[in-house]
Amino acid sequence: MEEIKNLEAVVTHLKKELAEIKGSGFKNATSYSYSPGYTFPGNLPTELYYAPTPGTPALSDIFTIRQGIRTDEYLVLVNYLDKILGATTGCSPSYTTAGTLSDRKITVGKFSANLQWCKSDFISTASALSNDPKFVADGLDGYEVTAAVRKMWVDSMIDAMRRDIFRLAFLANDSSGSSFWNVIDGLFVKLYDANASYCVKRVSNAFGNSHNTNLNTDEALGVFQQLYRNSQIPLMQLPASEKVFWTTGAVYNNLLESYQTSSRSGSEAQFRTLTNGETSLMFNGIEVKPLWLLDSVLSSDSTCPWYGSLRNFIIYTPKASSRFSNLVLGTEKASDLDRVAVFYDQRLLTTFAQAELRFGVNFINCDLTSFAD
């Protein structure tokens, strides 16, 4: 009984102290006050959801990457000898000069990206996050970007650079009036120029050129058949597993529809590729790969040098992984293609982000790439 009385006395004492604390106006020292700039029905999550952007294959899936190029690099080509045999002349042989060398030049352009961030700029565009120290640190520290903002910023810049490099590698033209497009010549300038000099073969120009051109039923299938039958023999003789068709998404889908509905739908293996939902389509055992970003550019970007003159294409060439790989991207340093440096200048209370890179493209051998547009 004595123990019970002692416990009751302790409880009574604690209740009295608790009442005194509540009346004194003291608050828990770890309480956190948050005043968002708007009313929201529930939680305010701070996860970041990125807007989707068109995907691209890795550059190394399309091009052989050559590093260490600051301005130009010349690839020396050994042209083949032909018909060197003749009737023997016994002890008085006749010698002639034979064999030629040529070259292919890769010219790289210099590109940069320079962005800056200030506390007030971020707060004005992301006020919902500015009260969270995870995104804007307290006090003077708030002028330097937090790890969360730095990651968001760098990820977004690298994604934009990925798409810019891809656009320029294919569609740049140094005669364009746009400072974005005119630093280098992209692959299509190289292909069209080579076709004009009877080098790379342009097998067909059957596709419409307008930015809003729609493909007719089986149109892509017919052009694939022309490329397969009429390209240069050195390309046609390579094993199917060594080659690839790079094309627009519109052409890819048009071929897919032909496999679904046409009486010319091809082999069982092609149809199985469709029904199994595999990631790539096949044409006569050769992979067909869509470049969806170029659909986006050619159909909607009126600043593009090819807008209104090129909408769909197929490039038939060896894979980058093949020993016959024919498309080349030259760069000073491959790691610069997706590298962003971030630094804070305390004098200016501003964080800066910088990227600098050099790259250019070309093909190597005339007879190992053909195209249709």
Side-chain angles (χ1 to χ4, degrees), residues 167 171 181 293-302 304 307:
R167 291 183 182 101
L171 303 173
W181 294 105
L293 176 61
L294 300 189
D295 282 83
S296 175
V297 177
L298 294 171
S299 65
S300 62
D301 187 349
S302 60
C304 174
Y307 183 80

Side-chain angles (χ1 to χ4, degrees), residues 238 242 318-326:
L238 296 180
E242 298 275 349
K319 294 179 178 180
S321 58
S322 168
R323 66 189 181 95
F324 304 102
S325 176
N326 202 44

Side-chain angles (χ1 to χ4, degrees), residues 25-32:
F26 290 128
K27 295 182 179 179
N28 190 325
T30 62
S31 66
Y32 176 71

Side-chain angles (χ1 to χ4, degrees), residues 48 136 329 345 354:
L48 300 177
V136 178
L329 185 142
D345 190 323
Q354 182 181 40

Side-chain angles (χ1 to χ4, degrees), residues 89-198:
T89 57
C91 294
S92 301
S94 176
Y95 292 91
T96 58
T97 300
T100 59
L101 300 177
S102 60
D103 56 61
R104 193 82 64 215
K105 183 170 74 169
I106 303 173
T107 298
V108 300
K110 186 177 181 180
F111 300 85
S112 63
N114 303 287
L115 301 178
Q116 65 181 35
W117 181 95
C118 179
K119 179 181 180 180
S120 58
D121 296 333
F122 184 75
I123 289 175
S124 66
T125 58
S127 58
L129 301 175
S130 61
N131 288 312
D132 190 334
K134 175 183 175 183
F135 293 97
V136 178
D138 294 327
L140 190 62
D141 293 336
Y143 285 95
E144 184 172 5
V145 294
T146 61
V149 174
R150 179 185 293 253
K151 183 179 185 306
M152 173 188 68
W153 199 16
V154 169
D155 288 349
S156 297
M157 285 186 67
I158 289 175
D159 180 67
M161 288 165 57
R162 168 186 63 83
R163 288 176 282 119
D164 285 350
I165 292 169
F166 211 84
R167 291 183 182 101
L168 295 168
F170 280 90
L171 303 173
N173 188 327
D174 68 5
S175 65
S176 170
S178 166
S179 60
F180 176 80
W181 294 105
N182 66 9
V183 180
I184 61 171
D185 279 334
L187 182 62
F188 275 105
V189 170
K190 305 292 186 182
L191 295 179
Y192 279 100
D193 286 351
N195 172 252
S197 60
Y198 306 99

Side-chain angles (χ1 to χ4, degrees), residues 50 209 302 315:
Y50 291 84
N209 295 328
S302 60
I315 299 173

Side-chain angles (χ1 to χ4, degrees), residues 215-218 221 250-263 265 274 281:
L215 298 173
N216 297 319
T217 301
D218 288 341
L221 180 60
V251 169
Y252 179 93
N253 280 344
N254 190 261
L255 179 66
L256 185 63
E257 291 168 1
S258 293
Y259 287 170
Q260 289 174 313
T261 62
S262 175
S263 60
S265 60
L274 165 66
L281 214 55

